[in-house]
Amino acid sequence: MNIRVTTDADAYVTTLYQRHGSALHRWATRMLGGDWHRAEDIVQEVAIRAWQRPMDVGPMDHTARPRLLTVAGDLVTDGHRTRPEPPVERADEAELARLAVPDAADQTLTAQVVMGAMGELAPRQREVLLHLYYLGHSVGQAARSLGVPPGTVKSRMYYALRALREALRERGVTAC
């Protein structure tokens, strides 16, 4: 690499940059699909190359800008060819379901549908579901609260869940 560090080269590049830098940056940004940061890198590389190998034309010459744009275009093309494609991440249904976060409106609608379906249950079935699922009681605690044997609580829970599942299915809810 033949690097010339002279005052003339520095002045040459400074004048080139002042005269053509913003046009070069706008052009590189358009070539890169709006990527402002990569365009800055391209402009810096063009400036380094101009500093390393000053052109045989002056910065005010009418051929300076086309030459700089050609160098920038080559850098954009070379960078595009060598830049690896970003990996495409694909999520399966289980991952999407895990990532989904229900919002307040979704929770409200779900609660309304479930409450409507619970309204169709027999009072004893509703009562068992409220104790077991809403209040979080165990079968023994629910049995004591309701004054029935634990086997009756289990039986009512089985039939209540079956009836609730059917009532929800009638309302169009299929993922139960």
Side-chain angles (χ1 to χ4, degrees):
M1 178 185 295
N2 186 8
I3 299 176
R4 290 196 280 170
V5 182
T6 64
T7 307
D8 292 339
D10 292 341
Y12 175 78
V13 171
T14 301
T15 306
L16 271 178
Y17 194 79
Q18 288 172 347
R19 178 129 171 109
H20 307 292
S22 60
L24 188 60
H25 191 266
R26 284 191 308 271
W27 185 83
T29 301
R30 279 195 307 269
M31 290 288 293
L32 293 166
D35 190 341
W36 183 266
H37 297 291
R38 281 190 57 214
E40 286 178 350
D41 293 342
I42 295 292
V43 172
Q44 287 175 2
E45 182 63 28
V46 170
I48 289 170
R49 289 183 183 197
W51 178 72
Q52 289 173 341
R53 294 182 234 56
M55 295 181 222
D56 55 355
V57 295
M60 303 302 253
D61 190 305
H62 70 281
T63 62
R65 185 173 290 182
R67 288 183 181 197
L68 293 171
L69 293 174
T70 300
V71 172
D74 291 345
L75 289 171
V76 168
T77 302
D78 291 345
H80 180 70
R81 286 183 191 145
T82 59
R83 190 177 189 140
E85 286 290 321
V88 177
E89 295 184 30
R90 300 188 196 286
D92 60 7
E93 291 296 323
E95 288 175 316
L96 290 176
R98 184 176 49 83
L99 294 175
V101 178
D103 60 358
D106 188 37
Q107 292 172 343
T108 302
L109 290 172
T110 301
Q112 286 179 347
V113 170
V114 171
M115 292 306 291
M118 291 220 17
E120 293 181 12
L121 301 178
R124 289 182 177 181
Q125 292 174 335
R126 243 191 335 267
E127 192 175 46
V128 165
L129 289 179
L130 289 174
H131 275 277
L132 294 173
Y133 291 98
Y134 183 71
L135 298 174
H137 290 167
S138 67
V139 171
Q141 290 171 327
R144 280 190 296 281
S145 294
L146 297 172
V148 295
T152 303
V153 170
K154 290 178 185 178
S155 175
R156 286 182 187 171
M157 179 183 63
Y158 171 79
Y159 288 108
L161 288 175
R162 197 168 87 175
L164 181 61
R165 194 173 292 117
E166 183 57 36
L168 289 171
R169 209 174 277 125
E170 289 172 4
R171 286 173 168 69
V173 179
T174 56
C176 298

Short mmCIF file of all heavy atoms in Angstrom, two decimals, residues 50-80:
data_model
loop_
_atom_site.label_atom_id
_atom_site.label_comp_id
_atom_site.label_asym_id
_atom_site.label_seq_id
_atom_site.Cartn_x
_atom_site.Cartn_y
_atom_site.Cartn_z
N ALA A 50 -9.23 8.37 -1.76
CA ALA A 50 -8.80 9.60 -2.42
C ALA A 50 -7.54 10.14 -1.76
O ALA A 50 -6.64 10.66 -2.43
CB ALA A 50 -9.91 10.64 -2.39
N TRP A 51 -7.43 10.02 -0.46
CA TRP A 51 -6.26 10.48 0.28
C TRP A 51 -5.04 9.61 -0.06
O TRP A 51 -3.93 10.11 -0.21
CB TRP A 51 -6.56 10.44 1.76
CG TRP A 51 -5.42 10.85 2.65
CD1 TRP A 51 -4.92 12.10 2.82
CD2 TRP A 51 -4.65 9.99 3.47
NE1 TRP A 51 -3.89 12.08 3.72
CE2 TRP A 51 -3.70 10.78 4.13
CE3 TRP A 51 -4.67 8.62 3.73
CZ2 TRP A 51 -2.78 10.26 5.03
CZ3 TRP A 51 -3.76 8.10 4.63
CH2 TRP A 51 -2.82 8.92 5.26
N GLN A 52 -5.28 8.28 -0.17
CA GLN A 52 -4.18 7.37 -0.49
C GLN A 52 -3.70 7.55 -1.93
O GLN A 52 -2.51 7.43 -2.21
CB GLN A 52 -4.61 5.91 -0.28
CG GLN A 52 -4.79 5.55 1.16
CD GLN A 52 -5.38 4.15 1.33
OE1 GLN A 52 -5.98 3.59 0.42
NE2 GLN A 52 -5.20 3.60 2.53
N ARG A 53 -4.61 7.79 -2.85
CA ARG A 53 -4.27 7.93 -4.27
C ARG A 53 -4.94 9.17 -4.83
O ARG A 53 -5.98 9.08 -5.47
CB ARG A 53 -4.78 6.71 -5.04
CG ARG A 53 -4.08 5.40 -4.67
CD ARG A 53 -4.63 4.29 -5.53
NE ARG A 53 -5.15 3.12 -4.88
CZ ARG A 53 -6.10 2.99 -3.95
NH1 ARG A 53 -6.71 4.00 -3.51
NH2 ARG A 53 -6.47 1.85 -3.46
N PRO A 54 -4.36 10.31 -4.60
CA PRO A 54 -4.97 11.53 -5.15
C PRO A 54 -5.11 11.43 -6.67
O PRO A 54 -4.24 10.91 -7.36
CB PRO A 54 -3.98 12.64 -4.78
CG PRO A 54 -3.18 12.08 -3.66
CD PRO A 54 -3.14 10.61 -3.86
N MET A 55 -6.26 11.87 -7.16
CA MET A 55 -6.52 11.80 -8.59
C MET A 55 -5.67 12.81 -9.34
O MET A 55 -5.18 13.78 -8.76
CB MET A 55 -8.01 12.08 -8.86
CG MET A 55 -8.95 11.06 -8.30
SD MET A 55 -10.62 11.53 -8.71
CE MET A 55 -11.43 11.16 -7.19
N ASP A 56 -5.56 12.59 -10.61
CA ASP A 56 -4.77 13.52 -11.41
C ASP A 56 -5.58 14.74 -11.85
O ASP A 56 -5.14 15.51 -12.68
CB ASP A 56 -4.18 12.80 -12.63
CG ASP A 56 -5.23 12.10 -13.47
OD1 ASP A 56 -6.40 12.09 -13.05
OD2 ASP A 56 -4.88 11.55 -14.52
N VAL A 57 -6.76 14.88 -11.29
CA VAL A 57 -7.59 16.06 -11.57
C VAL A 57 -7.80 16.81 -10.27
O VAL A 57 -7.74 16.24 -9.19
CB VAL A 57 -8.97 15.66 -12.17
CG1 VAL A 57 -8.79 15.01 -13.51
CG2 VAL A 57 -9.73 14.78 -11.22
N GLY A 58 -8.05 18.05 -10.36
CA GLY A 58 -8.27 18.85 -9.17
C GLY A 58 -9.67 18.64 -8.61
O GLY A 58 -10.58 18.19 -9.30
N PRO A 59 -9.90 18.95 -7.33
CA PRO A 59 -11.20 18.77 -6.69
C PRO A 59 -12.28 19.64 -7.31
O PRO A 59 -13.46 19.35 -7.19
CB PRO A 59 -10.96 19.14 -5.23
CG PRO A 59 -9.65 19.82 -5.17
CD PRO A 59 -8.90 19.47 -6.41
N MET A 60 -11.88 20.68 -8.01
CA MET A 60 -12.86 21.56 -8.63
C MET A 60 -13.14 21.14 -10.08
O MET A 60 -14.02 21.69 -10.71
CB MET A 60 -12.35 23.01 -8.62
CG MET A 60 -12.02 23.50 -7.22
SD MET A 60 -13.41 23.40 -6.11
CE MET A 60 -13.80 25.11 -5.99
N ASP A 61 -12.38 20.17 -10.58
CA ASP A 61 -12.56 19.70 -11.95
C ASP A 61 -13.93 19.04 -12.09
O ASP A 61 -14.41 18.38 -11.16
CB ASP A 61 -11.44 18.70 -12.28
CG ASP A 61 -11.40 18.33 -13.74
OD1 ASP A 61 -12.44 17.88 -14.27
OD2 ASP A 61 -10.32 18.47 -14.35
N HIS A 62 -14.54 19.18 -13.25
CA HIS A 62 -15.88 18.62 -13.48
C HIS A 62 -15.89 17.09 -13.52
O HIS A 62 -16.94 16.48 -13.45
CB HIS A 62 -16.48 19.21 -14.76
CG HIS A 62 -15.81 18.73 -16.01
ND1 HIS A 62 -14.60 19.24 -16.43
CD2 HIS A 62 -16.17 17.79 -16.90
CE1 HIS A 62 -14.24 18.63 -17.55
NE2 HIS A 62 -15.17 17.75 -17.86
N THR A 63 -14.75 16.44 -13.60
CA THR A 63 -14.72 14.97 -13.61
C THR A 63 -14.50 14.37 -12.23
O THR A 63 -14.55 13.16 -12.07
CB THR A 63 -13.61 14.46 -14.56
OG1 THR A 63 -12.35 14.90 -14.07
CG2 THR A 63 -13.85 14.92 -15.98
N ALA A 64 -14.26 15.19 -11.22
CA ALA A 64 -13.99 14.67 -9.88
C ALA A 64 -15.22 13.97 -9.30
O ALA A 64 -15.12 12.85 -8.78
CB ALA A 64 -13.54 15.80 -8.95
N ARG A 65 -16.38 14.60 -9.37
CA ARG A 65 -17.58 14.01 -8.78
C ARG A 65 -17.94 12.68 -9.45
O ARG A 65 -18.19 11.70 -8.73
CB ARG A 65 -18.76 14.97 -8.81
CG ARG A 65 -19.98 14.38 -8.09
CD ARG A 65 -21.11 15.35 -7.94
NE ARG A 65 -20.74 16.37 -6.98
CZ ARG A 65 -21.53 17.35 -6.60
NH1 ARG A 65 -22.74 17.48 -7.09
NH2 ARG A 65 -21.13 18.25 -5.72
N PRO A 66 -17.98 12.57 -10.77
CA PRO A 66 -18.28 11.27 -11.38
C PRO A 66 -17.30 10.18 -10.96
O PRO A 66 -17.69 9.03 -10.75
CB PRO A 66 -18.20 11.54 -12.88
CG PRO A 66 -18.47 12.99 -13.03
CD PRO A 66 -17.92 13.62 -11.79
N ARG A 67 -16.02 10.55 -10.81
CA ARG A 67 -15.03 9.55 -10.38
C ARG A 67 -15.31 9.09 -8.95
O ARG A 67 -15.24 7.91 -8.63
CB ARG A 67 -13.63 10.12 -10.48
CG ARG A 67 -13.16 10.25 -11.89
CD ARG A 67 -11.74 10.74 -11.93
NE ARG A 67 -11.28 10.89 -13.30
CZ ARG A 67 -10.00 11.00 -13.61
NH1 ARG A 67 -9.09 10.97 -12.66
NH2 ARG A 67 -9.65 11.13 -14.86
N LEU A 68 -15.64 10.04 -8.06
CA LEU A 68 -15.96 9.69 -6.67
C LEU A 68 -17.21 8.83 -6.61
O LEU A 68 -17.28 7.87 -5.84
CB LEU A 68 -16.14 10.96 -5.83
CG LEU A 68 -14.89 11.81 -5.63
CD1 LEU A 68 -15.26 13.13 -4.97
CD2 LEU A 68 -13.86 11.06 -4.80
N LEU A 69 -18.22 9.17 -7.40
CA LEU A 69 -19.45 8.38 -7.41
C LEU A 69 -19.20 6.98 -7.94
O LEU A 69 -19.81 6.01 -7.47
CB LEU A 69 -20.52 9.09 -8.25
CG LEU A 69 -21.06 10.40 -7.68
CD1 LEU A 69 -22.01 11.07 -8.67
CD2 LEU A 69 -21.75 10.17 -6.35
N THR A 70 -18.28 6.85 -8.90
CA THR A 70 -17.94 5.52 -9.41
C THR A 70 -17.28 4.68 -8.32
O THR A 70 -17.62 3.50 -8.14
CB THR A 70 -16.99 5.65 -10.63
OG1 THR A 70 -17.66 6.38 -11.64
CG2 THR A 70 -16.59 4.28 -11.16
N VAL A 71 -16.35 5.27 -7.58
CA VAL A 71 -15.69 4.56 -6.48
C VAL A 71 -16.73 4.15 -5.43
O VAL A 71 -16.74 3.02 -4.95
CB VAL A 71 -14.56 5.42 -5.85
CG1 VAL A 71 -14.02 4.76 -4.60
CG2 VAL A 71 -13.45 5.64 -6.86
N ALA A 72 -17.62 5.07 -5.08
CA ALA A 72 -18.66 4.77 -4.09
C ALA A 72 -19.58 3.65 -4.60
O ALA A 72 -19.94 2.74 -3.85
CB ALA A 72 -19.48 6.02 -3.78
N GLY A 73 -19.95 3.72 -5.87
CA GLY A 73 -20.80 2.67 -6.44
C GLY A 73 -20.13 1.32 -6.39
O GLY A 73 -20.77 0.30 -6.09
N ASP A 74 -18.82 1.28 -6.68
CA ASP A 74 -18.08 0.02 -6.60
C ASP A 74 -18.07 -0.51 -5.17
O ASP A 74 -18.23 -1.71 -4.93
CB ASP A 74 -16.65 0.20 -7.11
CG ASP A 74 -16.59 0.46 -8.60
OD1 ASP A 74 -17.60 0.21 -9.30
OD2 ASP A 74 -15.52 0.92 -9.08
N LEU A 75 -17.89 0.39 -4.20
CA LEU A 75 -17.89 -0.03 -2.79
C LEU A 75 -19.25 -0.57 -2.37
O LEU A 75 -19.34 -1.57 -1.64
CB LEU A 75 -17.48 1.13 -1.89
CG LEU A 75 -16.01 1.56 -1.97
CD1 LEU A 75 -15.80 2.85 -1.21
CD2 LEU A 75 -15.12 0.45 -1.40
N VAL A 76 -20.33 0.08 -2.80
CA VAL A 76 -21.68 -0.38 -2.47
C VAL A 76 -21.91 -1.76 -3.07
O VAL A 76 -22.39 -2.68 -2.41
CB VAL A 76 -22.75 0.61 -2.96
CG1 VAL A 76 -24.15 0.01 -2.88
CG2 VAL A 76 -22.69 1.90 -2.15
N THR A 77 -21.53 -1.92 -4.34
CA THR A 77 -21.72 -3.21 -5.02
C THR A 77 -20.89 -4.30 -4.36
O THR A 77 -21.39 -5.40 -4.10
CB THR A 77 -21.33 -3.09 -6.51
OG1 THR A 77 -22.14 -2.07 -7.10
CG2 THR A 77 -21.55 -4.39 -7.24
N ASP A 78 -19.62 -4.00 -4.07
CA ASP A 78 -18.76 -4.99 -3.42
C ASP A 78 -19.28 -5.34 -2.03
O ASP A 78 -19.27 -6.50 -1.62
CB ASP A 78 -17.33 -4.48 -3.31
CG ASP A 78 -16.65 -4.38 -4.67
OD1 ASP A 78 -17.17 -4.96 -5.64
OD2 ASP A 78 -15.60 -3.71 -4.75
N GLY A 79 -19.74 -4.34 -1.30
CA GLY A 79 -20.28 -4.59 0.03
C GLY A 79 -21.53 -5.42 -0.01
O GLY A 79 -21.78 -6.26 0.86
N HIS A 80 -22.35 -5.20 -1.03
CA HIS A 80 -23.59 -5.97 -1.16
C HIS A 80 -23.28 -7.43 -1.49
O HIS A 80 -23.92 -8.34 -1.00
CB HIS A 80 -24.48 -5.36 -2.24
CG HIS A 80 -25.77 -6.09 -2.44
ND1 HIS A 80 -26.77 -6.07 -1.50
CD2 HIS A 80 -26.21 -6.89 -3.44
CE1 HIS A 80 -27.77 -6.81 -1.92
NE2 HIS A 80 -27.45 -7.32 -3.09
#
